[in-house]
Amino acid sequence: MAEIINLNRARKARDKAEKTARAAANRAAHGRTKAERQGTEAEQARADSLLDGHRRETEEKE
């Protein structure tokens, strides 16, 4: 015979697992210090300026 399960418990367990996963994602996204955020922003700005410096100049058509 099939195993009998309590649907309320199954639903609650599924919801709890989803909330736990969402909380872990939020901790990863928002759990950085101000110095880490500023370091990442500075790194991105440095990469953008380097890329802009390697662009070829083209004549603008007016």
Side-chain angles (χ1 to χ4, degrees), residues 6-50:
N6 185 332
L7 294 178
N8 267 342
R9 284 188 187 166
R11 177 183 49 83
K12 287 181 181 182
R14 181 195 65 214
D15 292 345
K16 186 175 183 178
E18 289 174 1
K19 285 182 183 181
T20 303
R22 191 173 331 125
N26 283 339
R27 281 193 303 273
H30 301 289
R32 299 187 314 165
T33 64
K34 186 174 182 178
E36 290 173 336
R37 285 194 307 268
Q38 288 176 342
T40 303
E41 290 171 3
E43 207 174 293
Q44 185 62 41
R46 197 169 24 251
D48 289 342
S49 69
L50 182 66

Side-chain angles (χ1 to χ4, degrees), residues 44-59:
Q44 185 62 41
R46 197 169 24 251
D48 289 342
S49 69
L50 182 66
L51 182 64
D52 287 340
H54 284 90
R55 288 182 191 248
R56 294 184 358 180
E57 297 293 326
T58 59
E59 294 182 23

